[in-house]
Amino acid sequence: MVSGAELAGASCLPSQGSLVRSLSVPCAMVVLWALTLDAASPPNIVLIFADDLGYGDLGSYGHPSSTTPYLDQLAAGGLRFTDFYVPVSLCTPSRAALLTGRLPVRMGLYPGVLEPGSRGGLPLEEVTLPEVLAAQGYLTGMAGKWHLGVGPEGAFLPPHQGFHRFLGIPYSHDQGPCQNLTCFPPATPCDGICDQGRVPIPLLANLSVLAQPPWLPGLEAHYVAFARDLMVDAQRQGRPFFLYYASHHTHYPQFSGQSFAGRSGRGPFGDSLMELDAAVGALMATLGDLGLLGQTLVIFTADNGPETMRMSHGGCSGLLRCGKGTTFDGGVREPAVAFWPGHIAPGMTHELASSLDLLPTLAALAGAPLPNVTLDGVDLSSLLLGTGKSPRQTLFFYSAHPDEIRGVFAVRRGKYKAHFFTQGSAHSDTTADPACHAASPLTAHEPPLLFDLSQDPGENYNLLGGAAQVTTEALQAVKQLELLKAQFDAAMTFSPSQMARGEDPALEICCRPGCSPWPSCCHCPESQP
């Protein structure tokens, strides 16, 4: 077990102050449009994935008080999506969809999320995005939150799923006791107590425990240093790189380094978001320093909507309805930006897109063959490069607890979205809308709730409701959506649930195997600076 100082030295970890100073390096986003790239050269890829970030949380998406200048600059210089979705509004299934281009039910990643001692995980026979890119010569690395399983001897961890390098926590940072952890320096404890009866959260380097628990205020700086090293090493080796930067921000309990604590004007959530934004700025500054901005595609999005049960600590879905855990748009529609100077023109698109589409899109841009499996994603490269429209016309949304009898809960086709079933979630408690809350039971709708999202993005006005004058167009739309659902459900086969394999506490990662008393003895904390 290395000390915190040795860890910092080994990773050239900057202090929080030097991290902030590095962000002042101009990214020169607007002066690089003239850069060209040999069409035969595959792009470097930086995929930034935020955690529990709402559609309305960024300044570029309308939040009046968020401090997100680097993300806003990225949005101004890239293609900003207004209608970008994830298929399920929970961490584990959303991340599985992102990395495979497949709906989570095909992989058995349901219901809910994986736990630290889960026997299941992302099946090793699944072909992941880093595996696709590694086969094309990419150096692949992941920093941050995994949440796709640990398994015996770490069988499901990133080094076994296509990543050459991994630095991160294998699940959510609230899936272990946090009442004695510092979230904001110098000594502000984390809000709440998180999960009890678990081992402290471990920070892993590949399959080795670096700290258990890590010092949370320094965690993002570790990840930025890891990302910088990956970029430098790939450039030195003359090969492209794929960086999956899966930040813990803005998941509860929020944390940040000294330079951001109390600085955002939006409380702990805003401080956490401010540090995420600064990390994005640092990544862009590194690309600029290395002369790689014109050769690198940067994509930013998030795994699901805000956890509104945390109130001001839980994020904002903007004008959208509900949040995490639901199939309303506040749970599944996410901010998303694609940035690639000289290749992607700045602007905004209302075309439909999904996190499922990233694997086929990035494979096409990298010149990689697609996996020989059923993919639910489509290639968006023509949309990104301005040569065509999105081929995606339809989106299917599953509940956080899906089953084959009910099938998909909601379907969107063009501007229309139909809800065949709705159910509230504890994650979306405390909002003014009771339909979002856990107390709102599973409800079948016949006819389905129908919304025109071009006019009613908040899903407030059911076009088939009693007070509405039902138009011929609405009737035709619902008939089409009913048919799409029936056909899709009939063709879908659920894989056996990985979560149903249960849990084994012995699978929880411990820096002191066999120690006692379990699990509190698994304690090898990182030294604080």
Side-chain angles (χ1 to χ4, degrees), residues 233 253 285:
D233 290 348

Side-chain angles (χ1 to χ4, degrees), residues 166-235:
F166 168 55
L167 178 69
I169 294 172
Y171 35 77
S172 293
H173 65 282
D174 67 339
Q175 289 183 294
C178 65
Q179 65 269 24
N180 295 320
L181 300 184
T182 295
C183 271
F184 295 96
T188 301
C190 294
D191 188 42
I193 60 173
C194 305
D195 289 355
Q196 300 300 297
R198 306 279 193 191
V199 298
I201 54 170
L203 176 65
L204 304 183
N206 294 327
L207 301 177
S208 300
V209 179
L210 286 183
Q212 192 169 14
W215 191 62
L216 292 176
L219 191 56
E220 201 74 17
H222 280 298
Y223 293 160
V224 168
F226 170 92
R228 183 184 299 115
D229 290 345
L230 183 83
M231 296 177 193
V232 169
D233 290 348
Q235 185 180 54

Side-chain angles (χ1 to χ4, degrees), residues 14-22 259:
S15 68
Q16 288 293 334
S18 64
L19 173 60
V20 172
R21 285 193 295 274
S22 75
S259 299

Side-chain angles (χ1 to χ4, degrees), residues 29 60-61 70-80 336-339 346-347:
M29 291 181 178
S60 53
Y61 278 78
Y70 295 101
L71 283 165
D72 296 346
Q73 190 178 15
L74 197 74
L79 184 63
R80 183 168 69 90
V337 174
F339 177 88

